[in-house]
Amino acid sequence: EYLIAPREVETYESETGYDSSISSVGFNGTTSGFKTAVVANNIAYAGNVKIADWTGKVKTYGDAILKSTVGKFDSFVLERRIETSNEDGDSIIKLEEYADRLLEFKKNKMSLINISQELEFLEDTFMHKGVSHPAAVCKTDYGVAWVNSLGCYLYDGQKVDNLLEKGGRQIIKESDWDSFVVEPMIGYVPKKRQIIVVDDITTGGDGSVFLYDMVTQSWVKGAAATFEDQPKTNIVTDWNGDLVWVHTSDTGTAVKWDDASDTSAAMVISTKDIDFGQPGQKKNVYKVIVTYQSGNATTNVQVDYGVDGDTSFAYDFTVPELPAANGWQTAELVPDAPSEAKNIKSIRLRFATDGTVPAAFEINDVSIVYRLKGIR
């Protein structure tokens, strides 16, 4: 029927969305392509592209983002190009989207692009918040998280927060973070709402990690070899909500993150300096009450303390080791020399093993009995 009466209302442009003068649409063969891409609002955005121009010559546009037409995720042309900072000497490493915003990560900065309308526009630029490789960015149900040598960040749809800071203070020291990161990578555990930061994606680190709990907003550091010290892929979430990655040991080994309890011969838990909200006032500490369990096995957990910012934990309790406990049990720890815990401004506790801690060992809570001294 179309040969007898051709439909003259359709044109190449109405069918494809592109003018007929454009010589090619999309990436053609191995000589062209893109480094990163994301789909948002039914449009595909490709960044750091290598594509033919209108003359057919293939060129690299490291700081350009191409967007497809609606619903056609394989159609890209230079005419539909977004450039937030043209030829700034920095190239796009990763694209991610959240809350009608396109997050453009370069090595030195992150640009926030508003894509809620047909015409995109640059909303904000965050210097020194870029990434060195795509595995340093992940998406969570709280927003987009990423990591670099200066910090770990979260964009929640409204603002960018540095997760190394809380309540206007630094919770991980700059020197500790600097000695930890090499080429860091990041992943998200949706089942527990936790972010995992690995020190290095190659073999430059020792496999140690920092784990951030998004509910309690607290950090825990994992020892060396928590991750295999091998070249690694990025971390992804599989169909079951588990965190998986591959490293090169045995020529490609798939691994799943497992945080089930295990025995440990190197457990150390140190609290911060606890000043009870009165840093300038002296106190007398009388006892420390610990609720814990160990599956009725010997804990091998020694408890000692330091005062007034001391990091040597020079002082002991009358019962230095937590006894074996079947089910939840309370231990009352009294300083072996009461004078050492008097007239102090702060106290810091340490739980450390002198053997092997059983996998069933858990601490539920720690309470401190103290009295504020009058100010004279």
Side-chain angles (χ1 to χ4, degrees):
E1 60 175 325
Y2 297 118
L3 293 176
I4 297 172
R7 299 178 61 180
E8 298 177 352
V9 295
E10 280 84 5
T11 65
Y12 176 83
E13 185 172 354
S14 67
E15 291 292 295
T16 66
Y18 299 109
D19 189 89
S20 59
S21 62
I22 298 175
S23 58
S24 63
V25 176
F27 300 105
N28 183 20
T30 59
T31 59
S32 62
F34 55 90
K35 291 290 184 69
T36 178
V38 68
V39 176
N41 299 336
N42 209 24
I43 295 175
Y45 295 87
N48 196 343
V49 300
K50 188 176 182 181
I51 193 170
D53 62 12
W54 66 276
T55 66
K57 186 177 181 180
V58 176
K59 295 181 180 180
T60 299
Y61 303 87
D63 55 4
I65 301 173
L66 304 186
K67 67 173 184 176
S68 71
T69 54
V70 176
K72 298 182 178 180
F73 305 140
D74 59 349
S75 301
F76 297 93
V77 294
L78 281 175
E79 284 71 15
R80 292 177 62 84
R81 175 170 53 183
I82 305 172
E83 286 181 320
T84 58
S85 51
N86 189 20
E87 297 181 357
D88 62 351
D90 208 352
S91 55
I92 298 172
I93 304 296
K94 175 70 173 176
L95 293 179
E96 194 55 83
E97 63 86 21
Y98 188 77
D100 282 336
R101 304 295 187 275
L102 190 66
L103 284 74
E104 177 197 62
F105 293 94
K106 293 186 175 182
K107 290 184 178 181
N108 299 314
K109 63 184 178 182
M110 187 274 282
S111 297
L112 194 62
I113 305 170
N114 191 310
I115 56 173
S116 60
Q117 306 174 31
E118 173 62 24
L119 183 62
E120 299 84 0
F121 61 91
L122 179 64
E123 195 165 280
D124 208 345
T125 298
F126 300 89
M127 296 301 301
H128 313 297
K129 289 180 171 57
V131 298
S132 57
H133 54 83
V137 182
C138 72
K139 196 170 185 180
T140 77
D141 51 3
Y142 287 82
V144 178
W146 69 98
V147 61
N148 62 22
S149 60
L150 301 177
C152 183
Y153 309 96
L154 177 71
Y155 174 70
D156 61 4
Q158 297 181 338
K159 62 186 185 305
V160 174
D161 290 322
N162 188 347
L163 300 181
L164 304 188
E165 302 170 355
K166 182 180 179 181
R169 61 183 180 85
Q170 204 169 30
I171 55 178
I172 295 181
K173 292 194 299 185
E174 180 183 342
S175 57
D176 291 343
W177 187 259
D178 186 62
S179 61
F180 165 72
V181 294
V182 183
E183 289 288 338
M185 58 190 292
I186 194 171
Y188 179 62
V189 187
K191 292 180 178 179
K192 297 191 174 182
R193 296 183 178 180
Q194 295 173 339
I195 291 175
I196 296 177
V197 178
V198 187
D199 62 347
D200 186 44
I201 196 171
T202 61
T203 58
D206 59 9
S208 58
V209 304
F210 267 107
L211 186 145
Y212 180 76
D213 190 292
M214 304 192 78
V215 177
T216 63
Q217 298 180 7
S218 58
W219 287 93
V220 176
K221 186 175 183 181
T226 302
F227 267 54
E228 189 78 17
D229 189 20
Q230 297 282 343
K232 298 170 278 291
T233 67
N234 60 314
I235 308 173
V236 300
T237 305
D238 68 5
W239 62 274
N240 196 39
D242 294 316
L243 218 58
V244 295
W245 68 98
V246 176
H247 60 73
T248 59
S249 178
D250 300 324
T251 319
T253 302
V255 185
K256 181 178 73 172
W257 172 252
D258 175 22
D259 60 359
S261 299
D262 203 351
T263 59
S264 172
M267 188 205 80
V268 178
I269 302 174
S270 302
T271 72
K272 66 177 183 178
D273 276 312
I274 304 169
D275 58 21
F276 311 104
Q278 300 288 340
Q281 191 170 353
K282 290 185 177 181
K283 303 98 180 168
N284 292 341
V285 173
Y286 298 104
K287 66 175 67 174
V288 175
I289 303 171
V290 182
T291 305
Y292 70 100
Q293 65 178 356
S294 66
N296 209 28
T298 301
T299 66
N300 292 315
V301 176
Q302 312 294 315
V303 188
D304 49 18
Y305 69 97
V307 300
D308 296 339
D310 184 14
T311 58
S312 62
F313 301 97
Y315 306 119
D316 300 313
F317 296 98
T318 54
V319 180
E321 180 172 300
L322 295 176
N326 186 18
W328 293 110
Q329 180 173 306
T330 299
E332 295 189 1
L333 308 178
V334 179
D336 62 352
S339 61
E340 295 171 347
K342 291 183 177 180
N343 294 316
I344 63 174
K345 292 184 177 180
S346 66
I347 186 172
R348 188 181 184 198
L349 304 175
R350 179 176 67 175
F351 301 82
T353 178
D354 63 349
T356 300
V357 180
F361 178 76
E362 295 180 54
I363 296 176
N364 185 70
D365 59 76
V366 177
S367 303
I368 301 175
V369 180
Y370 72 100
R371 180 174 66 86
L372 291 172
K373 297 198 69 177
I375 300 176
R376 296 180 180 177

